[in-house]
C-alpha cells in the first residue's frame, strides 16, 4: 500500500519513529505498537458480500437485443400420453394430432447504485479510499444480484409445490437419507422412465453451514465407521464433506434458521416446511444449461459524477440491466430439515 | 392521461414500488398498511398507489412520472419507447417542480374566472382539483401545489408541485 503523507503527517511519523527507538523501553514499546497498528489501515474493515449466484445462472449477453425469447417444446410436461400410439383397424384414416409451439420472454430491469464522499476526506485519508469505494459499490451490485437470483430460485421451488424431508431425522438434522430422498423425488417428478434420455437428476444441494457441518456428527446409525474416520480427518474442502452420493454439497451463509433467504422463503413466499423442521435445503439439477438464465442487456457501467465537485464532493454511480429466470421448475426441488 | 414534455424537475424519488396500473401525471399516495423501514431504497413496503376514492386526511406522495402497465411479460414486451413499467416495479415520483398534465378533473382549473396561481388539490382517482375551500379543503384532500395556468382545449394545464 502506497503511503502519501502531508507535512504534518510526515512530522508525526518522524516523531513516532524516534520514539520507537527511544532508550526508555516504555516509550519505545508504546511507539512500536502504534506503528504496528497504523500499518493495517483502514481498521474495522467490513467484509463485503461475494458472488454466490452467477455460478448457478448462465449469464447471457443480450446487449443490443430488444427481446429475449426462448422457444418452448411442442408438448408440455404431462402431455406425453396425448401422443401414445394405438391399435388401428385394417381400413380407415389415422386421426390427426396437431401440435404447436410457444415461446416465452424474459423481462429485464435496471439496477443502480452510487457512492460518494467529501473531497477533504479523499485528500486527508492517507489510504486508497477511491479503490475501497469502488469495491463497496461493486459489492452492492453483487449483493443485489445474489438476492434477486436466489429469490428467483426459491420462487421456482415454491411454485413446484414439493418439499422433501427425512421423517426419521430429528428437527434440524441433516442426514444422508435426506439426500437420497431428494434424489428419488427429483427423478420421480422429472418425467420419463428408467431408460429415458435427459432424466432429472439431483446434482447440487445447497444448505446452511449449520446443516452442512452436521456431517461431522453423523453416527454409526447413519454412516459406517470408515466413513466417519474420513470425515473426522477431512478439511472443509475434502470430498467426504462436499460430495455425497454424487451430489455436490454447498453451504451458504444466507440459508439456515432465521437467516436471510430462509426468512424470505417463510415470510415473502409463505413457504412451508414439515412440522418442527427449521430450515430448507435447495436441490438443483444442473446437468444442462436449459433453465437458470441471467440475460443482461447492459453490463455494469460506472460513471464519475462531475456535478458533485462543485459541492466539494466526489461521487461515482453505476447501473446495469439484467434479468433472472428459472425456465423449468423441474430443475429445483426444496427439502427441509 | 399524460405529461407534456415541458417540465422543470426540482425533486424526484426512485424509491417507490407500484401496486396498481396508472398513467403519468396522476397524484399517488403511500399504500395503506405498507410501512417501509430504514433507507427504504429497495423495500417492497415503500409502495404507492392510485386511490380510486381519496379519503379525507390521506397524504400525497407525489406525481407519477411513468406509465405503469400490467402485461403478461412472458409473451408481451414492455414498450421500450415510452417508459412503460410493469406493475410491481418501481416508478418515478415527482415531488417538486413544474409539470404540464391533463390529469385534471373535468371542470376544474378552467375559465377566465380562475385566479392564478390557484391551489391544486389531490382528489378522487389521483386527479387534480382546484375546488374551493368548502369543497376540496373541506374534503380533507391535500394541497399538492398550485395551478400556474388554466386548462387548454386538450385539457392540459401547468402545475407547480411542492411536496416533501
Amino acid at each position: 500500500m502506497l503511503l502519501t503523507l502531508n507535512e504534518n503527517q510526515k512530522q508525526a511519523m518522524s516523531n513516532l519513529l524516534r520514539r520507537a527507538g527511544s532508550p526508555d523501553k516504555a516509550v519505545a514499546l508504546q511507539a512500536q505498537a502504534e506503528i504496528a497498528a497504523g500499518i493495517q489501515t483502514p481498521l474495522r474493515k467490513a467484509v463485503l458480500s461475494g458472488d454466490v449466484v452467477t455460478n448457478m445462472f448462465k449469464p447471457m449477453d443480450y446487449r443490443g437485443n430488444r427481446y429475449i425469447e426462448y422457444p418452448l417444446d411442442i408438448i408440455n410436461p404431462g402431455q406425453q400420453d396425448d401422443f401414445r400410439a394405438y391399435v388401428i383397424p385394417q381400413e380407415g384414416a389415422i386421426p390427426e394430432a396437431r401440435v404447436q409451439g410457444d415461446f416465452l420472454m424474459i423481462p429485464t430491469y435496471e439496477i443502480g447504485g452510487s457512492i460518494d464522499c467529501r473531497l477533504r476526506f479523499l485528500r486527508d485519508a492517507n489510504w486508497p479510499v477511491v479503490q475501497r469505494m469502488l469495491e463497496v459499490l461493486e459489492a452492492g451490485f453483487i449483493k443485489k444480484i445474489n438476492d434477486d437470483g436466489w429469490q428467483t430460485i426459491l420462487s421456482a421451488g415454491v411454485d413446484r409445490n414439493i418439499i422433501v424431508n427425512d421423517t426419521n431425522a430429528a428437527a434440524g438434522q441433516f442426514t444422508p437419507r435426506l439426500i437420497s430422498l431428494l434424489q428419488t423425488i427429483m427423478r420421480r417428478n422429472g418425467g420419463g422412465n428408467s431408460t429415458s434420455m435427459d432424466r432429472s437428476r439431483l446434482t447440487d444441494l445447497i444448505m446452511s453451514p449449520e446443516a452442512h457441518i452436521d456431517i461431522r456428527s453423523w453416527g454409526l446409525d447413519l454412516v459406517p465407521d470408515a466413513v466417519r474416520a474420513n470425515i473426522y480427518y477431512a478439511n472443509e474442502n475434502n470430498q467426504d464433506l462436499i460430495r455425497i452420493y454424487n451430489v455436490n454439497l454447498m453451504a451458504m451463509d444466507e440459508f439456515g434458521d432465521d437467516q436471510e433467504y430462509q426468512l424470505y422463503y417463510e415470510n415473502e413466499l409463505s413457504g412451508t416446511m414439515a412440522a418442527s423442521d427449521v430450515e430448507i435445503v435447495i436441490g438443483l439439477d444442473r446437468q444442462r444449461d436449459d433453465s437458470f438464465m441471467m440475460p443482461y442487456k447492459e453490463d455494469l457501467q460506472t460513471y464519475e459524477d462531475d456535478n458533485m465537485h462543485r459541492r466539494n464532493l466526489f461521487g461515482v454511480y453505476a447501473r446495469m440491466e439484467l434479468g433472472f429466470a428459472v425456465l423449468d421448475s423441474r430443475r429445483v426441488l426444496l427439502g427441509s430439515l | 392521461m399524460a405529461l407534456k414534455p415541458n417540465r422543470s424537475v426540482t425533486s424526484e424519488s426512485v424509491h417507490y414500488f407500484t401496486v396498481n396500473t396508472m398513467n403519468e401525471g396522476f397524484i399517488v399516495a403511500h399504500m395503506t398498511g405498507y410501512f417501509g423501514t430504514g433507507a427504504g431504497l429497495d423495500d417492497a413496503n415503500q409502495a404507492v398507489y392510485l386511490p380510486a376514492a381519496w379519503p379525507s386526511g390521506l397524504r400525497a406522495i407525489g406525481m407519477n412520472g411513468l406509465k405503469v402497465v400490467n402485461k403478461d411479460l412472458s409473451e408481451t414486451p414492455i414498450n421500450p419507447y415510452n417508459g412503460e413499467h410493469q406493475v410491481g416495479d418501481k416508478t418515478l415520483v415527482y415531488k417538486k417542480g413544474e409539470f404540464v398534465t391533463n390529469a385534471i378533473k373535468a371542470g376544474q382549473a378552467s375559465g377566465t374566472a380562475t385566479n392564478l396561481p390557484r391551489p391544486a388539490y389531490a382528489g378522487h382517482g389521483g386527479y387534480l382539483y382546484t375546488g374551493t375551500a368548502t369543497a376540496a379543503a373541506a374534503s380533507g384532500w391535500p394541497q399538492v401545489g398550485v395551478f400556474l395556468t388554466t386548462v387548454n382545449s386538450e385539457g392540459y394545464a401547468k402545475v407547480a408541485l411542492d411536496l416533501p
Side-chain angles (χ1 to χ4, degrees):
Chain A
M1 181 179 73
L2 177 66
L3 287 176
T4 304
L5 308 178
N6 59 31
E7 287 306 312
N8 289 339
Q9 289 165 337
K10 285 178 184 174
Q11 186 65 33
M13 181 59 80
S14 296
N15 290 338
L16 185 63
L17 290 170
R18 271 198 295 276
R19 285 194 290 121
S22 170
D24 184 335
K25 188 175 179 182
V27 172
L29 286 175
Q30 183 184 5
Q32 288 162 16
E34 286 181 36
I35 291 173
I39 290 175
Q40 295 181 25
T41 52
L43 304 180
R44 299 183 186 174
K45 195 172 179 180
V47 179
L48 301 172
S49 292
D51 176 13
V52 293
V53 78
T54 55
N55 62 336
M56 299 290 168
F57 284 83
K58 183 180 175 66
M60 304 196 74
D61 186 349
Y62 277 93
R63 289 174 292 184
N65 288 275
R66 272 181 62 184
Y67 304 122
I68 302 169
E69 289 181 12
Y70 292 92
L72 302 180
D73 194 8
I74 54 174
I75 60 171
N76 293 323
Q79 285 184 331
Q80 297 89 323
D81 282 350
D82 292 346
F83 298 91
R84 182 183 289 190
Y86 39 86
V87 176
I88 56 174
Q90 294 184 18
E91 181 179 333
I94 299 174
E96 299 170 4
R98 185 82 69 253
V99 294
Q100 61 187 25
D102 202 352
F103 76 101
L104 58 82
M105 304 175 71
I106 299 179
T108 56
Y109 56 97
E110 290 184 89
I111 58 176
S114 66
I115 192 165
D116 42 74
C117 68
R118 299 182 191 90
L119 288 176
R120 187 167 186 171
F121 173 51
L122 276 187
R123 183 193 71 192
D124 293 344
N126 197 30
W127 58 278
V129 173
V130 174
Q131 176 186 342
R132 181 62 177 165
M133 286 172 65
L134 294 176
E135 288 175 9
V136 172
L137 181 65
E138 181 190 30
F141 279 84
I142 291 173
K143 174 63 177 161
K144 175 64 175 169
I145 292 170
N146 284 348
D147 290 349
D148 288 355
W150 275 104
Q151 287 169 9
T152 307
I153 293 176
L154 289 174
S155 299
V158 169
D159 182 66
R160 200 171 180 197
N161 204 25
I162 301 174
I163 189 145
V164 180
N165 76 304
D166 179 3
T167 53
N168 295 340
Q173 182 189 21
F174 175 58
T175 60
R177 186 164 179 262
L178 180 62
I179 304 176
S180 55
L181 286 171
L182 284 162
Q183 285 180 307
T184 305
I185 300 298
M186 180 74 90
R187 167 183 168 154
R188 175 73 69 186
N189 288 276
N193 62 8
S194 56
T195 56
S196 295
M197 303 283 289
D198 298 333
R199 287 209 80 182
S200 292
R201 184 174 71 83
L202 182 70
T203 60
D204 297 86
L205 187 61
I206 293 87
M207 67 197 74
S208 69
E210 291 81 9
H212 187 233
I213 214 61
D214 270 352
I215 295 173
R216 294 202 190 270
S217 304
W218 285 348
L220 287 171
D221 59 323
L222 295 176
V223 289
D225 202 38
V227 174
R228 294 176 71 226
N230 291 339
I231 291 172
Y232 183 84
Y233 289 109
N235 64 33
E236 60 184 12
N237 292 322
N238 187 280
Q239 287 292 320
D240 292 307
L241 291 180
I242 64 174
R243 195 171 178 83
I244 295 176
Y245 301 159
N246 205 27
V247 176
N248 298 317
L249 306 181
M250 277 177 279
M252 275 181 57
D253 295 63
E254 289 86 348
F255 288 102
D257 193 13
D258 277 345
Q259 297 303 315
E260 185 179 354
Y261 294 165
Q262 177 72 29
L263 293 173
Y264 179 83
Y265 173 78
E266 293 176 12
N267 299 332
E268 303 300 328
L269 299 178
S270 301
T272 57
M273 297 178 288
S276 77
D277 281 356
V278 297
E279 59 183 85
I280 56 171
V281 296
I282 296 86
L284 302 176
D285 175 5
R286 296 172 59 205
Q287 297 178 90
R288 293 164 294 279
D289 288 332
D290 66 348
S291 184
F292 303 103
M293 300 296 174
M294 187 181 80
Y296 60 94
K297 282 190 178 175
E298 183 179 334
D299 207 350
L300 184 65
Q301 304 283 338
T302 309
Y303 309 91
E304 184 181 337
D305 189 349
D306 296 335
N307 293 324
M308 300 198 84
H309 191 269
R310 184 171 184 171
R311 297 164 60 198
N312 231 359
L313 299 172
F314 166 77
V316 174
Y317 61 96
R319 57 172 170 255
M320 66 182 301
E321 183 173 347
L322 76 167
F324 286 96
V326 176
L327 301 180
D328 191 341
S329 61
R330 291 175 297 175
R331 306 288 177 250
V332 181
L333 182 63
L334 300 183
S336 68
L337 52 91
Chain B
M1 300 299 171
L3 286 172
K4 285 289 190 182
N6 313 86
R7 63 194 69 176
S8 173
V9 181
T10 309
S11 174
E12 62 192 13
S13 173
V14 296
H15 298 160
Y16 292 97
F17 289 94
T18 53
V19 296
N20 56 355
T21 58
M22 60 184 90
N23 282 323
E24 309 152 292
F26 284 85
I27 304 299
V28 292
H30 201 289
M31 186 66 186
T32 309
Y34 284 44
F35 304 100
T37 59
L41 292 171
D42 219 20
D43 189 339
N45 285 315
Q46 281 291 84
V48 292
Y49 80 115
L50 198 62
W54 198 289
S56 174
L58 182 67
R59 298 191 188 96
I61 291 290
M63 177 183 284
N64 180 43
L66 296 171
K67 186 178 180 183
V68 181
V69 298
N70 190 2
K71 293 182 173 180
D72 180 355
L73 297 184
S74 68
E75 293 184 351
T76 310
I78 285 289
N79 189 332
Y81 295 108
N82 66 3
E84 276 184 359
H85 273 58
Q86 177 73 355
V87 65
D89 202 349
K90 279 191 174 166
T91 189
L92 173 66
V93 176
Y94 292 122
K95 291 184 166 287
K96 295 188 200 299
E98 293 179 3
F99 307 92
V100 181
T101 178
N102 65 352
I104 301 166
K105 195 63 178 177
Q108 300 291 309
S110 63
T112 55
T114 304
N115 296 319
L116 298 172
R118 179 103 184 202
Y121 297 89
H124 298 317
Y127 283 94
L128 288 164
Y129 292 73
T130 48
T132 64
T134 56
S139 302
W141 291 350
Q143 182 177 351
V144 297
V146 295
F147 281 99
L148 297 178
T149 64
T150 56
V151 292
N152 63 8
S153 58
E154 295 177 337
Y156 285 89
K158 182 185 286 187
V159 174
L161 203 65
D162 186 11
L163 287 165

